[in-house]
Amino acid sequence: MPRRERTLSTGPKTVVATSTPDRQFSVICLRLVVDEGVQRRLDDAMFAAGQLERALTHWGLDNLEAMKRTKRWRRACAMPTGLSAAGEVINEAAQKARNTALNTIRGEFHLSEYDFIAEIGRLRTRSHWISEHVPSSSANVHAVHVFKGFAAHLFRGAGRPQVPNPYTTRVLHGYTRYEGRGEATLEEIERAQSKDKAPPKARAVSWPGLSLHGTQVEGLSVHLHPSRDCSRHLVIPVEVLGGAQTEREAWYLDDSGSWRQISLVRNEVRGHHIYEVHLLCVKRAWRSAERYANAPDAVVGVDLGPSTMAAVGRLENDTL
């Protein structure tokens, strides 16, 4: 399991999640500066995203019920699994035949991530009001979240997905920032020519729909572009009290190249709504030089239990 650390401060909050030795993810929580008009726009955007998730879940459940009523689905489920009681593969041919039959039926009833993304795009374009509040890139991310519930039900034996209530939706997800790329290398050109395809083209950095811009010195702001109508574009200032309250926040906020994705979240604190932006960063975790000056380089964390203590160490090859 990845190590997860949560640190609270008087200013921005930091959640550090170490996933792999070479890719470490951190989420920085910053406060949004909103007035009554911006607050109403954000509430409408989150409600519209909830309506999309609700309609998409109903569509998926209808397809799921129609699929489970077919005899072909029941016959495919009754095929030998090729697994032992302990879950070990004992017959690869039987397992492959059963999975192929199940996947074929799922594809016929549009129960794939691609179908969910395509359907939420159609649902968004049918409503002019939703199109003015939710970017198409954000709708795709919400479709992936809905599909995860169906995937857990289909592949991991979880319960049926629950239909969300749009009135309780308190998040608007943004799309992943595209890092861009340069001209195609000689190896990429040769590989594309061997497949009778065009080589990849150079593309600039892009962050559609919902993005974060600026610096700590000039000020940070969230840009919400739900449609091509420039009058619907929204720029929301981000509040960082006194710049960066700690060196930890500055470690991530000063490196805009590590920013990957943001989400707008509405939390209720003592009866008042607080709006935050959660910034996902891909960067090596910050480590205080003063705090860990005398700590061995191989030790990265300690977990104290009721009667045991576990130490997490990092080897010379940078593996946990």
Side-chain angles (χ1 to χ4, degrees):
M1 293 294 292
R3 178 173 61 89
R4 183 176 178 87
E5 175 187 353
R6 185 174 180 87
T7 304
L8 300 180
S9 64
T10 56
K13 295 179 290 184
T14 305
V15 181
V16 180
T18 304
S19 298
T20 59
D22 56 338
R23 291 181 63 86
Q24 299 178 344
F25 300 90
S26 305
V27 179
I28 311 299
C29 304
L30 304 172
R31 184 73 61 81
L32 291 175
V33 180
V34 299
D35 54 20
E36 184 177 354
V38 173
Q39 180 177 346
R40 184 169 55 252
R41 283 283 304 275
L42 293 180
D43 289 340
D44 290 343
M46 294 178 184
F47 177 76
Q51 291 282 17
L52 286 176
E53 290 188 358
R54 181 182 178 87
L56 185 63
T57 304
H58 278 297
W59 174 83
L61 289 175
D62 292 340
N63 293 348
L64 181 65
E65 291 298 328
M67 180 187 68
K68 289 187 175 182
R69 286 195 297 265
T70 61
K71 294 182 179 179
R72 291 188 297 120
W73 171 261
R74 292 193 291 269
R75 285 196 299 266
C77 292
M79 294 173 63
T81 61
L83 302 176
S84 64
E88 300 177 354
V89 179
I90 57 178
N91 191 336
E92 294 184 0
Q95 183 189 34
K96 184 177 180 180
R98 183 176 186 269
N99 291 341
T100 301
L102 292 175
N103 290 333
T104 301
I105 301 175
R106 294 189 191 108
E108 293 178 3
F109 286 88
H110 310 290
L111 293 174
S112 67
E113 182 176 329
Y114 173 82
D115 293 316
F116 275 68
I117 293 177
E119 180 62 22
I120 204 171
R122 289 189 288 267
L123 293 172
R124 177 181 174 273
T125 55
R126 290 174 188 172
S127 173
H128 179 70
W129 181 81
I130 292 180
S131 300
E132 289 184 343
H133 289 85
V134 180
S136 58
S137 56
S138 297
N140 294 343
V141 180
H142 283 270
V144 174
H145 281 264
V146 173
F147 175 74
K148 287 180 179 179
F150 284 85
H153 174 69
L154 290 171
F155 306 121
R156 295 188 293 275
R160 284 166 48 89
Q162 299 295 321
V163 179
N165 184 358
Y167 292 96
T168 60
T169 303
R170 59 181 188 88
V171 62
L172 179 64
H173 296 292
Y175 199 70
T176 305
R177 175 176 177 265
Y178 180 69
E179 302 179 33
R181 59 156 298 142
E183 296 291 341
T185 62
L186 181 60
E187 182 181 357
E188 291 175 336
I189 295 176
E190 294 177 351
R191 188 185 307 116
Q193 291 177 349
S194 63
K195 299 180 181 179
D196 295 332
K197 295 183 179 180
K201 299 181 180 179
R203 292 183 58 184
V205 177
S206 62
W207 204 351
L210 189 59
S211 57
L212 180 67
H213 298 272
T215 62
Q216 292 190 72
V217 178
E218 300 176 355
L220 297 169
S221 60
V222 171
H223 290 213
L224 175 60
H225 296 171
S227 64
R228 296 182 180 179
D229 185 1
C230 295
S231 63
R232 301 298 303 173
H233 293 182
L234 192 63
V235 178
I236 312 173
V238 176
E239 180 181 13
V240 182
L241 301 179
Q245 291 296 312
T246 63
E247 296 180 1
R248 181 189 298 273
E249 280 75 30
W251 172 257
Y252 300 102
L253 296 179
D254 287 342
D255 185 8
S256 60
S258 66
W259 301 350
R260 287 297 175 269
Q261 190 176 14
I262 66 171
S263 297
L264 303 185
V265 180
R266 180 185 66 221
N267 294 321
E268 186 173 352
V269 179
R270 297 179 180 178
H272 298 279
H273 285 164
I274 304 299
Y275 296 84
E276 296 178 340
V277 52
H278 291 185
L279 171 64
L280 175 66
C281 302
V282 181
K283 188 178 181 180
R284 181 172 56 86
W286 178 80
R287 184 174 180 178
S288 173
E290 299 178 356
R291 181 177 180 182
Y292 298 100
N294 300 323
D297 293 336
V299 178
V300 298
V302 177
D303 184 14
L304 298 178
S307 59
T308 59
M309 181 183 72
V312 181
R314 189 180 299 278
L315 304 178
E316 294 181 357
N317 59 354
D318 205 27
T319 59
L320 294 178

